[in-house]
Amino acid sequence: MKKIIIGSDHAGFRLKNIIINHLTQKYDVEDAGTHSQESCDYPLIAKKVANKVADGTYTLGILICGTGIGMSIAANKIKGIRAAVVSDTCSAKMSRLHNNANILCFGERIVGEELAKDITDIWLSTEFLGERHAKRVDMIED
Ligand code: RB5
């Protein structure tokens, strides 16, 4: 079973709980917080999730804030992280196929809950194509 870690700030808290409930039967899901709607700072949650994906404790991560943008900017500061902000299913799929994204970001203020579930399902079930794309992803790491 894939090990997934998921985090949000206050602006993504409600959608985080919906996604956790949606995933728990198929995946081993760790909730990295936040644990209430009280205002908090998204870079701290992004760092926590990104570090645990980068060190291999979890296979993939999901980060939710108001837009997904702040979370992705912060997560991409951690070496080895390829965080993609996504608000449609095609981009979700391509971010895995071509970019080997290891963190999915989206915004509770941007995507509805059914679309967020579809994006998450497609993203988690799509594997990296490798080959010519692997060379390019390696270039990002370098
Ligand atoms: C919080 O108001 C909001 O700025 C945050 O959730 C996120 O959207 C930042 O990118």
Side-chain angles (χ1 to χ4, degrees), residues 8-12 39-43 64-73 106-110:
S8 77
D9 69 354
H10 55 286
S39 183
C40 65
D41 300 320
Y42 63 81
I64 310 169
C65 60
T67 59
I69 297 169
M71 285 295 197
S72 69
I73 293 171
F106 49 79
E108 182 180 319
R109 296 171 182 162
I110 307 296

Side-chain angles (χ1 to χ4, degrees), residues 46-58:
K47 186 178 179 184
K48 184 172 170 184
V49 167
N51 277 330
K52 289 193 173 179
V53 172
D55 73 13
T57 309
Y58 292 90

Side-chain angles (χ1 to χ4, degrees), residues 5-8 30-33 43-55 58 60-63 71 75 78 81 102-104:
I5 184 164
I6 180 166
S8 77
E30 170 73 13
D31 183 354
L44 300 178
I45 300 286
K47 186 178 179 184
K48 184 172 170 184
V49 167
N51 277 330
K52 289 193 173 179
V53 172
D55 73 13
Y58 292 90
L60 295 170
I62 299 171
L63 285 166
M71 285 295 197
I78 305 294
I81 292 304
N102 51 11
I103 294 190
L104 169 67

Side-chain angles (χ1 to χ4, degrees), residues 109-121:
R109 296 171 182 162
I110 307 296
V111 296
E113 65 184 71
E114 293 308 317
L115 178 55
K117 287 182 202 170
D118 284 351
I119 285 171
T120 303
D121 287 343

